[in-house]
C-alpha cells in the first residue's frame, strides 16, 4: 500500500469508527437497553496496519474468519484487543487457533465441539464458545437448525473444557425488513437457552452475536451483545 492510499484509508476508517459507534449507542438507547453492546471489527482482507489503527481508535474485539489469513497477520497486530474466531472452522484447523483466540462463535456440530474441547484441554484452558444457528434454514449457510439447538447445547455442555456463552447467527439477506423476524426468533432461542441452563456448569449465557454492516441496528433492538462489522468500518472488500 502506498503512503497516500494508506493515509486516506486511515482517515476513512476513523470517520467510520466514530459514526458506527454513535449508531450503536443510539440503537442501544432506543431499545431501552442498559447492558453493553460490543463493537467487533471483522478483519478479513484488511491489512494489519489498518486493523491496528481501528484498535488505537477504541476497537477492543477483532473477528477473524479465515484461519490462514489470521495466522499470517496476527503477529503484526498490536494494542489492547481480544480475538474471536467467527468463520467456518474445520476440525483439523482448531489446533492452530486454540491458544490465539478467546472465543469461537461458529460451533455447529458436536464433532467440532469435541475437537475444541480436546485441544483446549491440551492447552490447559477452557474455551468460550457460541453455538451457531442457521436461523433462516438456508442450505448454503453454516449453523444448526433451530430445532437441534437444545440437543447440541446439552451435548456440548458435557465437555469440561468448553464454556457455552450463547448464540451466533448470520440471517438471510434482508429483503423488505425480513431480518427482524429472524432476529426476533434468535432473541427467543437465546433467552430460552439462558433460562434452561441457568446455574449449570459449562454454561454462562451472556452473549448473542448477531448483526453486521447492513443490519446491526435492528440486531441491537433484538438484544444483540456483539455486532460484527466489516465493510462499513473498513470499506468494501475486493475479494
Ligand atoms: C464478513 C463477516 C462479517 C462482516 O460482514 P460485513 O457485512 O462486511 O459487516 C460478520 N460476520 C461474519 C461471520 C463474517 O464472515
Amino acid at each position: 500500500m502506498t503512503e497516500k492510499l494508506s493515509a486516506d484509508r486511515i482517515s476513512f476508517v476513523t470517520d467510520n469508527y466514530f459514526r458506527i459507534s454513535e449508531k450503536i449507542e443510539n440503537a442501544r438507547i432506543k431499545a431501552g437497553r442498559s447492558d453493553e453492546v460490543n463493537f467487533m471489527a471483522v478483519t478479513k482482507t484488511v491489512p494489519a496496519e489498518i486493523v491496528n489503527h481501528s484498535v488505537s481508535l477504541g476497537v477492543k474485539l477483532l473477528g477473524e474468519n479465515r484461519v490462514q489469513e489470521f495466522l499470517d497477520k496476527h503477529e503484526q497486530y498490536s494494542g489492547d484487543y481480544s480475538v474471536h474466531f467467527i468463520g467456518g472452522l474445520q476440525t483439523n484447523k482448531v489446533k492452530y487457533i486454540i491458544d490465539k483466540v478467546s472465543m469461537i462463535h461458529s460451533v455447529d456440530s458436536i464433532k467440532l465441539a469435541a475437537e475444541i474441547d480436546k485441544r483446549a484441554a491440551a492447552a490447559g484452558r477452557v474455551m468460550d464458545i457460541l453455538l451457531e444457528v442457521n436461523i433462516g434454514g438456508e442450505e448454503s449457510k453454516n449453523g444448526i437448525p433451530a430445532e437441534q439447538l437444545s440437543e447440541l447445547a446439552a451435548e456440548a455442555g458435557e465437555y469440561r473444557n468448553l464454556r457455552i456463552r450463547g448464540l451466533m447467527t448470520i440471517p438471510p439477506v434482508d429483503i423488505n425488513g425480513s431480518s427482524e423476524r429472524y432476529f426476533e426468533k434468535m432473541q427467543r432461542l437465546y433467552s430460552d437457552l439462558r433460562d434452561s441452563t441457568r446455574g449449570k456448569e459449562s454454561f454462562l449465557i451472556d452473549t448473542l452475536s448477531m448483526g453486521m454492516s447492513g443490519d446491526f441496528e435492528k440486531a441491537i433492538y433484538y438484544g444483540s451483545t456483539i455486532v460484527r462489522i466489516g465493510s462499513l468500518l473498513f470499506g468494501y472488500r475486493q475479494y
Side-chain angles (χ1 to χ4, degrees), residues 17-199:
Y17 173 76
F18 289 110
R19 197 162 32 85
I20 297 165
S21 298
E22 194 179 326
K23 285 188 173 178
I24 290 173
E25 184 58 6
N26 288 340
R28 192 182 68 80
I29 290 165
K30 191 174 153 203
R33 294 177 49 183
S34 55
D35 59 333
E36 208 182 333
V37 178
N38 293 286
F39 179 169
M40 169 190 281
V42 177
T43 67
K44 59 184 178 251
T45 79
V46 180
E49 174 200 6
I50 306 292
V51 174
N52 290 342
H53 177 64
S54 76
V55 171
S56 77
L57 293 170
V59 165
K60 296 255 179 305
L61 187 55
L62 304 179
E64 298 287 332
N65 67 342
R66 296 171 182 169
V67 171
Q68 192 55 54
E69 184 184 331
F70 172 50
L71 295 176
D72 291 343
K73 279 194 325 206
H74 83 278
E75 281 177 3
Q76 300 167 58
Y77 287 170
S78 62
D80 182 15
Y81 62 90
S82 7
V83 176
H84 289 182
F85 194 81
I86 62 174
L89 184 57
Q90 293 169 288
T91 49
N92 62 351
K93 301 276 176 66
V94 172
K95 58 178 177 287
Y96 301 119
I97 65 164
I98 198 74
D99 59 342
K100 297 180 184 66
V101 304
S102 58
M103 195 184 288
I104 298 175
H105 289 216
S106 42
V107 178
D108 64 354
S109 72
I110 196 64
K111 187 168 158 240
L112 180 56
E115 177 67 14
I116 296 170
D117 177 72
K118 181 175 123 189
R119 298 292 174 180
R125 64 174 298 177
V126 171
M127 180 59 79
D128 284 328
I129 64 167
L130 303 180
L131 304 177
E132 181 174 353
V133 179
N134 183 352
I135 197 65
E138 296 169 288
E139 259 178 47
S140 60
K141 292 238 169 97
N142 293 331
I144 48 152
E147 305 75 56
Q148 289 168 27
L149 175 60
S150 34
E151 190 185 339
L152 179 61
E155 287 179 354
E158 297 292 316
Y159 290 102
R160 310 191 61 134
N161 293 78
L162 299 182
R163 184 165 64 166
I164 300 161
R165 297 286 298 271
L167 302 177
M168 183 268 227
T169 198
I170 307 174
V173 175
D174 187 86
I175 298 162
N176 301 323
S178 63
S179 59
E180 303 220 11
R181 175 159 68 92
Y182 297 112
F183 288 144
E184 193 178 2
K185 277 191 189 172
M186 286 300 298
Q187 185 176 39
R188 204 167 323 128
L189 289 174
Y190 174 73
S191 75
D192 288 350
L193 182 67
R194 196 176 45 200
D195 293 346
S196 65
T197 60
R198 190 165 274 132

Side-chain angles (χ1 to χ4, degrees), residues 42 44 65 86 168 170 212-214 228-232 237:
V42 177
K44 59 184 178 251
N65 67 342
I86 62 174
M168 183 268 227
I170 307 174
M212 317 200 305
S213 290
R228 308 182 308 265
I229 311 286
S231 49
L232 200 63
R237 294 178 288 272

